[in-house]
Amino acid sequence: SPPGGHKTWLLLDLAVSIASGTPFLGLYQVMEEGPVIIIQQEDFHGQIVERLSLIVHNRFGINQSEDEMLMPPKLPIFVNPDRKLKFSDEKVMKALEEQIEKIRPKLVIIDPLYSAADMDNYMADTASEMFALKAMRDKYGTAFVVAHHTKKGADGDRERAWGSQFLNAFLETGWQIKSGTVSNIK
């Protein structure tokens, strides 16, 4: 999605859906609910918490009035407070795996991709380093969603979405988010 394409909002809605077992976007049934880890390395974390709160309050119909105080359900959503995830940093990746082993999340959201990737030989090295995510997926049964900005001026959905054949080959499924539409890329 291009910047401002609402991908973070969609990912937060997905997090609430997985953590609560409620339909994603109010439409798509969650097959397995469970904990979610959010690694958001771009936006202000206070804003992330506010957005999550807004989604939860709307999802569960919690409307505050002057004479009542309703509490949202306790959801197993863990927002990582650091901005230190780098696929090339073995120590950080080991710490991520330790948290996954401890929490056993159904989903880990990494937003955005560029923040976890080194800029030297960016796409080729990043795709190779991301195989650690597939290994953790297989070992712990954890799904990963990685948000990525689109490339300006590229032709075709997959090229626009990833900007590299290396990442394109790594992709198992994807969403292309653009001007008010969501299309599934396979």
Side-chain angles (χ1 to χ4, degrees):
S1 168
H6 306 292
K7 65 186 160 303
T8 300
W9 278 102
L10 286 171
L11 293 174
L12 295 176
D13 188 86
L14 181 61
V16 170
S17 294
I18 299 296
S20 66
T22 57
F24 173 53
L25 299 176
L27 299 171
Y28 305 102
Q29 192 62 40
V30 170
M31 302 310 285
E32 292 184 46
E33 72 178 87
V36 177
I37 296 174
I38 298 172
I39 302 170
Q40 175 30 267
Q41 300 196 136
E42 188 175 54
D43 295 336
F44 171 61
H45 288 119
Q47 181 183 40
I48 296 303
V49 171
E50 286 179 16
R51 288 176 175 183
L52 281 169
S53 178
L54 182 61
I55 292 167
V56 167
H57 278 75
N58 283 301
R59 175 76 48 91
F60 294 99
I62 300 170
N63 298 313
Q64 302 291 344
S65 68
E66 289 182 28
D67 58 344
E68 67 180 340
M69 182 163 186
L70 301 173
M71 297 301 291
K74 184 176 174 120
L75 298 177
I77 298 175
F78 303 86
V79 179
N80 185 316
D82 300 329
R83 289 184 169 86
K84 296 180 180 179
L85 180 66
K86 291 287 183 192
F87 298 132
S88 62
D89 187 328
E90 290 181 27
K91 183 178 176 183
V92 170
M93 292 301 288
K94 184 175 184 331
L96 173 61
E97 183 170 0
E98 289 170 358
Q99 288 302 307
I100 289 171
E101 183 175 26
K102 177 181 172 184
I103 296 169
R104 297 292 177 146
K106 291 294 179 186
L107 176 65
V108 175
I109 296 171
I110 300 171
D111 183 14
L113 171 63
Y114 79 83
S115 68
D118 287 328
M119 292 299 129
D120 296 334
N121 204 14
Y122 173 54
M123 293 297 177
D125 289 345
T126 298
S128 176
E129 292 161 350
M130 287 173 63
F131 276 99
L133 301 180
K134 288 186 178 189
M136 286 184 258
R137 174 207 58 200
D138 294 345
K139 186 174 182 179
Y140 302 104
T142 297
F144 287 84
V145 173
V146 181
H148 185 42
H149 294 179
T150 55
K151 180 179 175 184
K152 293 180 182 177
D155 293 326
D157 283 343
R158 290 190 99 174
E159 180 64 18
R160 182 172 50 245
W162 293 97
S164 164
Q165 289 304 340
F166 295 110
L167 287 176
N168 196 13
F170 181 84
L171 177 68
E172 291 179 355
T173 190
W175 298 332
Q176 176 75 35
I177 303 166
K178 44 188 169 175
S179 305
T181 65
V182 177
S183 59
N184 192 13
I185 301 171
K186 294 184 181 186

